[in-house]
Amino acid sequence: MATIIGGIATTHVPAIGNAIAKGLQNDPYWKPFFDGFKSAHTWLETNRPDVVVVVYNDHGLNFFLDKIPTFAVGAADQYQHADEGWGLPVSAPFPGDAEFSWHIIEQLVGNEFDVTSCQEMLVDHAFTIPLALLWPDAAKRPTKIIPVEINTVQHPLPTPARCLKFGQTIGRAIESYAPDLKVLVVGTGGLSHQLDGERAGFINKDFDLFCLEQLVKTPEALTRYTIPQLVELAGSQGVELLNWIAMRGALTGRVSKVHSNYHIPISNTASALLVLDNHPAKQTELRKAG
Amino acid sequence: MSSPHQIPGTTIFNGAEAQKGLALNKMCFSFNSAENRAEFVRNPEAYCTKFGLTPEQKAAVRAKNVLAMIEAGGNVYYLAKLAGIYGLNVQDIGAQQTGMSVDAFKEKLQAAGR
């Protein structure tokens, strides 16, 4: 059976893509951010996932406002990145796993999450940048990647409580998949930031640090917020925290923190990284047996 | 479709906003294509007309005024594609919306970390 080995959440600011393209990792502005990933790289080298499920939000590359699904799941064997209009280099295609995707879709819909299935789906920087950060060498990247998209653009947005349940249902779907695969769940975006309005530049360090702490052991603490409260506390685009909450929901075992990093600012954003280990009972037994 | 929860300096992009801003956001969505960006640059006014922008939306685009675009239903994820055509990044548009210099806006971001 597939097992969930852990979860990682990271910021996905487009400027990171340009910094990678220009090789600015040791530039004084960028170094505190990129250095945070060294522990994640070590953890990934040790744990080597076979499959990555990436929970992110589209920013007007694949979905337009004519049709916006609340939850969408990729169901393809390959996903393309494309020109997003703001000068980011276009990434090479990403390999998917349509069979695993359909299993997740069937389990989600069977458990009352009526997702949109996407046999064709462009993935944007919110998907490509976290992968580039976690595996700077694309050749070492897991060969199967499944995109899961949450609407964080067009209100009404799904509530934090709903996103936690969505993640829990994804977690159970993964664990009911027969092949022996090690699965990593990634959530992208955030933390606090606001790009629009007179409140542009809003950052809330206290709330971010609170979220980073709660996400480890008590993600339920974040489900009491309404979306307007989340906008107020995290900023208009800080609601991308929903992707982190869904990621955390998928970790159904005993969860412990491996590493976190928090740095202000990257572009207009409070950047953060959280690496979590997931220890399902079954997995512990398997490791001992192996 | 109304939003009872008012947050200063913040527009919740709800159904009413999305309906109001459809033409403007649709135009900005088209800027995912380099060919469309070039067509806009050649004749912005004609390109706005092609997408059926309202007079208010056209005036905001003409003035490169982000707050006015938001007032006309623009969503920042789409507007950022238009800003990119003019070589403006999110610090530039942040400075414009808050009435600060770009340096002062960047300093405000730095200060949030201290």
Side-chain angles (χ1 to χ4, degrees):
Chain A
M1 299 299 279
T3 53
I4 300 168
I5 58 168
I8 298 181
T10 170
T11 301
H12 64 219
V13 181
I16 299 165
N18 286 325
I20 292 172
K22 291 177 188 163
L24 298 177
Q25 288 88 340
N26 288 313
D27 177 273
Y29 180 89
W30 289 100
K31 195 171 165 46
F33 171 74
F34 281 102
D35 279 357
F37 284 85
K38 288 176 180 169
S39 295
H41 297 157
T42 307
W43 186 85
L44 288 167
E45 274 292 317
T46 309
N47 290 279
R48 294 180 179 271
D50 302 304
V51 181
V52 189
V53 174
V54 181
V55 184
Y56 74 106
N57 60 293
D58 181 80
H59 300 69
L61 179 66
N62 188 69
F63 296 114
F64 178 60
L65 302 167
D66 58 340
K67 302 173 198 74
I68 292 279
T70 297
F71 298 115
V73 180
D77 280 324
Q78 195 183 68
Y79 302 95
Q80 309 279 344
H81 183 213
D83 188 345
E84 298 184 41
W86 42 50
L88 269 182
V90 175
S91 306
F94 296 86
D97 183 345
E99 191 186 320
F100 199 173
S101 286
W102 283 115
H103 171 81
I104 292 172
I105 292 163
E106 282 173 13
Q107 292 297 312
L108 283 168
V109 176
N111 288 283
E112 301 179 358
F113 278 96
D114 306 320
V115 297
T116 299
S117 55
C118 302
Q119 291 200 62
E120 291 180 10
M121 189 180 197
L122 293 173
V123 288
D124 78 358
H125 67 273
F127 177 95
T128 67
I129 286 175
L131 293 170
L133 285 168
L134 295 173
W135 292 275
D137 179 357
K140 290 187 178 171
R141 207 172 279 163
T143 52
K144 292 175 176 184
I145 309 171
I146 298 175
V148 174
E149 202 271 345
I150 298 181
N151 166 37
T152 68
V153 178
Q154 162 78 76
H155 292 248
L157 311 182
T159 62
R162 185 73 176 148
C163 290
L164 187 69
K165 281 185 200 159
F166 181 57
Q168 288 164 343
T169 310
I170 291 172
R172 286 194 294 269
I174 292 169
E175 288 170 338
S176 68
Y177 192 55
D180 282 328
L181 295 167
K182 290 193 289 182
V183 181
L184 171 73
V185 184
V186 171
T188 89
L191 287 174
S192 63
H193 65 301
Q194 177 156 340
L195 306 176
D196 54 325
E198 293 88 345
R199 206 171 75 127
F202 173 80
I203 283 175
N204 188 345
K205 187 176 178 177
D206 289 343
F207 183 67
D208 289 341
L209 295 177
F210 170 75
C211 291
L212 278 169
E213 192 185 323
Q214 299 303 318
L215 279 162
V216 181
K217 296 284 183 196
T218 46
E220 300 78 16
L222 304 179
T223 62
R224 65 186 166 101
Y225 297 109
T226 64
I227 290 294
Q229 285 170 337
L230 210 55
V231 169
E232 189 158 34
L233 287 164
S236 297
Q237 286 72 41
V239 292
E240 290 168 343
L241 177 68
L242 296 174
N243 303 326
W244 289 49
I245 293 172
M247 172 282 289
R248 177 59 183 83
L251 310 184
T252 51
R254 187 167 54 79
V255 174
S256 59
K257 185 169 103 171
V258 177
H259 173 71
S260 69
N261 186 43
Y262 183 76
H263 172 71
I264 297 174
I266 288 299
S267 186
N268 285 23
T269 303
S271 73
L273 169 69
L274 182 62
V275 182
L276 299 173
D277 224 333
N278 182 53
H279 314 268
K282 273 186 297 182
Q283 189 191 21
T284 311
E285 285 159 20
L286 283 173
R287 276 180 179 172
K288 277 177 192 162
Chain B
M1 289 200 287
S2 65
S3 174
H5 194 109
Q6 293 297 321
I7 303 162
T10 304
T11 303
I12 298 278
F13 189 71
N14 61 13
E17 295 300 323
Q19 195 175 339
K20 187 167 66 175
L22 188 64
L24 172 59
N25 292 317
K26 194 169 192 171
M27 179 179 85
C28 292
F29 179 62
S30 80
F31 296 146
N32 284 335
S33 145
E35 203 176 300
N36 291 339
R37 295 195 293 273
E39 186 184 334
F40 174 85
V41 170
R42 280 196 298 276
N43 190 341
E45 203 65 32
Y47 200 82
C48 289
T49 302
K50 180 175 159 181
F51 277 84
L53 268 63
T54 64
E56 185 196 7
Q57 290 168 343
K58 278 187 179 179
V61 171
R62 213 177 288 131
K64 304 186 182 88
N65 184 328
V66 178
L67 288 177
M69 290 182 211
I70 292 169
E71 181 63 35
N75 177 280
V76 74
Y77 286 142
Y78 294 94
L79 300 179
K81 298 175 198 285
L82 170 62
I85 293 179
Y86 292 113
L88 303 173
N89 64 28
V90 289
Q91 278 90 58
D92 297 319
I93 66 170
Q96 188 201 86
Q97 294 174 95
T98 53
M100 302 169 94
S101 70
V102 176
D103 283 343
F105 185 74
K106 286 181 178 171
E107 173 50 33
K108 168 185 149 90
L109 294 166
Q110 294 281 353
R114 293 195 281 267

